[in-house]
Amino acid sequence: DAVFNVQVSESHCECPAMSPRQKSSSNSQAKFEKVATRLTELYAFEEAEIWLASRQPLLGGQIPAELVQAGKVDEVLHAIDQLADGVYL
């Protein structure tokens, strides 16, 4: 399975009729979209998937997809910014 499957659609809106579980799912998708968008500015889609699913030195050996799921999007985005700036460990 793909690590992320990004599609922008109306289902990502925050509407009051959504259950807390639906909102949580929508928020998680939005987080992945933010990371995926930034990452695919640096890598081809397949390479971005590999990066997200692999342990990354810039994240202390943690797996980016797991960090995003844990709500640590800013840490992952910071690592992506470091990659864009040419920082490699």
Side-chain angles (χ1 to χ4, degrees):
D1 287 13
V3 173
F4 63 90
N5 182 11
V6 179
Q7 293 181 355
V8 177
S9 70
E10 294 177 359
S11 66
H12 300 313
C13 70
E14 290 289 330
C15 62
M18 294 175 82
S19 72
R21 185 178 179 127
Q22 287 172 316
K23 285 182 183 180
S24 175
S25 176
S26 179
N27 288 339
S28 295
Q29 183 67 23
K31 291 175 187 177
F32 268 111
E33 286 179 11
K34 186 174 185 178
V35 169
T37 298
R38 184 69 179 106
L39 196 55
T40 55
E41 292 172 1
L42 301 175
Y43 298 117
F45 183 82
E46 294 80 16
E47 293 170 325
E49 281 189 317
I50 291 168
W51 190 89
L52 280 170
S54 303
R55 296 192 181 281
Q56 297 301 322
L58 289 172
L59 293 168
Q62 297 182 76
I63 297 172
E66 291 176 1
L67 291 174
V68 172
Q69 289 174 337
K72 299 180 180 181
V73 176
D74 289 338
E75 288 180 39
V76 176
L77 290 173
H78 179 70
I80 295 169
D81 288 341
Q82 288 181 302
L83 289 172
D85 291 340
V87 176
Y88 300 95
L89 296 176

